[in-house]
């Protein structure tokens, strides 16, 4: 569906380009070279033998007969590698997320991951900085849900200043998550400046009452944090139990995420997935005043 022609707030934004899943030979070679540099940097280098062993078992036909691997049997080196992913269809992705698995690969086949520790945020324990609170009160940005999913996921794949221009958000991931979006399980948050430009946002997946934040981006200072706070306010209002950020980062820590052991995460995830989901495209609740929102932790979340 051409979202830009159906949503007025997308006027002037570029239409997502390229055949779904397609990647030219030159970009693939460039990706391979960058991925090699990324892989050979310690401590990631120590995970190469384990990765090669998992690949060898897979291509030798020695993999588990189960469609999805057991997250509790994931490798320690590299941390969380559980198996090879050959199917990115919506049903498989949803089943994987319910087990605590997620796909990721910079090069080669997609792989299932379940790190020993997960970076988790509880909607009632979100950190809202004074600056972000001020931006919300002054209405410096306008926030929407599910208005430009294709644009947001491609923006998340763009190179970050000062970092290696390598992304795991490959064309096959974009195709798979756009299908998940059309099915009503993947969602985007868009942050617009006063001139109508896309200033930042994030996208993720909702299963039961759990949200998995896949990636964020910001073209204006604090725009991704505004996206996260607005989303978290809605998640708490809708009864969501947790937000999974997957791996540790300083950015996630500043938002209130914290590390918990994989077994504890999977227990919380199972509880969240036992609650009916909220499928379909989301929209901002006009009755929620996010600028005045004071997160209230549930017992055990602080």
């Amino acid at each position: 569906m051409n979202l830009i022609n159906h949503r007025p707030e997308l006027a002037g934004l570029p239409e997502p380009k390229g055949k779904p899943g397609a990647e030219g030979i030159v970009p693939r070679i460039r990706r391979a070279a960058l991925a090699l540099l990324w892989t050979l940097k310690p401590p990631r280098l120590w995970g190469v033998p384990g990765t090669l062993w998992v690949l060898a078992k897979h291509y030798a036909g020695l993999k588990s007969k189960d469609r999805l691997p057991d997250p509790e049997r994931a490798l320690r080196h590299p941390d969380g590698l559980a198996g090879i992913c050959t199917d990115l269809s919506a049903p498989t992705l949803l089943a994987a997320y319910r087990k605590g698995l997620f796909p990721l690969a910079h090069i080669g086949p997609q792989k299932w991951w379940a790190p020993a520790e997960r970076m988790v945020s509880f909607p009632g324990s979100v950190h809202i900085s004074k600056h972000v609170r001020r931006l919300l009160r002054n209405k410096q940005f306008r926030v929407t849900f599910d208005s430009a999913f294709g644009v947001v996921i491609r923006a998340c794949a763009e190179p970050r200043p000062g970092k290696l221009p390598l992304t795991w958000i490959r064309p096959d991931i974009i195709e798979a998550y756009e299908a998940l979006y059309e099915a009503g399980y993947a969602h985007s948050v868009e942050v617009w400046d006063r001139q109508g430009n896309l200033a930042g946002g994030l996208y993720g997946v909702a299963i039961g009452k759990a949200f998995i934040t896949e990636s964020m981006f910001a073209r204006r200072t604090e725009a991704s944090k505004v996206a996260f706070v607005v989303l978290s306010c809605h998640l708490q209002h809708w009864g969501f139990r947790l937000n999974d950020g997957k791996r540790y980062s300083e950015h996630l820590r500043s938002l209130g995420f914290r590390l918990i052991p994989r077994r504890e995460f999977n227990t919380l995830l199972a509880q969240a997935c036992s609650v009916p989901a909220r499928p379909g495209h989301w929209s901002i609740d006009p009755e929620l005043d996010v600028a005045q929102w004071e997160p209230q932790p549930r017992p055990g979340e602080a």
Side-chain angles (χ1 to χ4, degrees), residues 77-251:
H77 302 290
D79 177 30
L81 179 58
I84 302 302
C85 169
T86 58
D87 180 11
L88 287 173
S89 67
T92 298
L93 283 173
L94 293 174
Y97 278 121
R98 291 187 184 99
K99 290 189 69 170
L101 299 163
F102 60 86
L104 185 147
H106 292 93
I107 189 175
Q110 289 292 341
K111 303 165 187 71
W112 293 120
W113 298 86
E117 292 184 306
R118 293 293 273 261
M119 200 65 169
V120 174
S121 165
F122 301 99
S125 302
V126 170
H127 293 173
I128 307 177
S129 69
K130 292 181 179 179
H131 187 200
V132 170
R133 180 82 70 182
R134 190 179 307 115
L135 290 172
L136 290 166
R137 286 173 175 163
N138 295 340
K139 300 187 184 302
Q140 293 294 314
F141 297 112
R142 182 173 63 89
V143 181
T144 58
F145 291 161
D146 289 347
S147 292
F149 185 90
V151 179
V152 167
I153 192 171
R154 286 166 175 81
C156 288
E158 293 173 353
R160 308 297 169 93
K163 295 188 177 182
L164 194 68
L166 178 69
T167 180
W168 58 270
I169 307 176
R170 306 177 343 184
D172 55 345
I173 287 290
I174 292 175
E175 179 181 9
Y177 284 80
E178 285 187 323
L180 208 56
Y181 165 75
E182 293 296 338
Y185 291 96
H187 303 279
S188 60
V189 181
E190 302 86 21
V191 179
W192 311 88
D193 64 21
R194 290 179 172 178
Q195 290 71 46
N197 301 308
L198 189 60
L202 63 84
Y203 80 96
V205 177
I207 48 170
K209 293 300 182 182
F211 190 86
I212 296 87
T213 295
E214 289 293 322
S215 187
M216 305 180 185
F217 79 99
R219 294 170 178 165
R220 293 275 301 276
T221 303
E222 307 285 45
S224 63
K225 292 185 178 182
V226 169
F228 174 75
V229 170
V230 173
L231 172 65
S232 296
C233 179
H234 283 75
L235 292 181
Q236 184 176 57
H237 181 67
W238 294 334
F240 274 68
R241 308 282 183 83
L242 61 88
N243 187 330
D244 173 30
K246 300 189 289 189
R247 294 187 184 273
Y248 179 87
S249 75
E250 280 297 313
H251 181 67

